[in-house]
Amino acid sequence: MEKEYILITDFCLSHNIETHFVMELYEFGLVDVVVKENVRYLPIKQLPKAEKIIRLYSDLDINLEGIAVITQLLNKMEKMQDEITHLKNRLDLYE
């Protein structure tokens, strides 16, 4: 459990944020939260995403609705980039 998850309270302490903020991120569908024995954890895989969201929120003063839109657009761009790479690879086969 320790290698896959981090306590939300530990994450919040290290980033100087309130625990309810992480739960709001979860409610917006921006991060995943795992509950084991009434203790909430953040998956380690989610740390870069959560840290990026915290920077958007605190440094750029973007609200959660705006962060949700930005995250959705970034995900679409990543999928499009993957598709472009895939298509370029297929095109290279025919050249």
Side-chain angles (χ1 to χ4, degrees):
M1 170 90 82
E2 290 183 27
K3 294 179 182 176
E4 297 176 23
Y5 304 101
I6 183 172
L7 282 167
I8 288 180
T9 53
D10 291 346
F11 176 79
C12 291
L13 281 174
S14 67
H15 289 83
N16 199 24
I17 59 172
E18 299 289 328
T19 55
H20 76 277
F21 180 70
V22 175
M23 296 313 297
E24 287 178 2
L25 296 177
Y26 171 69
E27 290 170 7
F28 270 85
L30 297 172
V31 295
D32 296 328
V33 171
V34 176
V35 179
K36 301 253 184 182
E37 300 175 8
N38 292 328
V39 180
R40 294 182 178 131
Y41 297 92
L42 191 63
I44 295 291
K45 295 185 282 186
Q46 294 282 304
L47 290 182
K49 185 176 184 180
E51 290 169 343
K52 183 188 298 185
I53 290 170
I54 291 169
R55 285 192 306 275
L56 288 171
Y57 184 79
S58 61
D59 295 348
L60 299 178
D61 200 29
I62 299 174
N63 63 16
L64 292 178
E65 291 85 0
I67 291 170
V69 170
I70 290 169
T71 302
Q72 183 181 25
L73 290 172
L74 287 173
N75 289 339
K76 283 184 180 182
M77 285 178 51
E78 185 177 330
K79 286 179 184 177
M80 288 172 41
Q81 187 62 45
D82 291 343
E83 185 176 353
I84 289 170
T85 302
H86 174 73
L87 292 171
K88 281 183 179 180
N89 289 339
R90 285 188 60 196
L91 182 61
D92 287 343
L93 287 174
Y94 296 106
E95 290 184 337

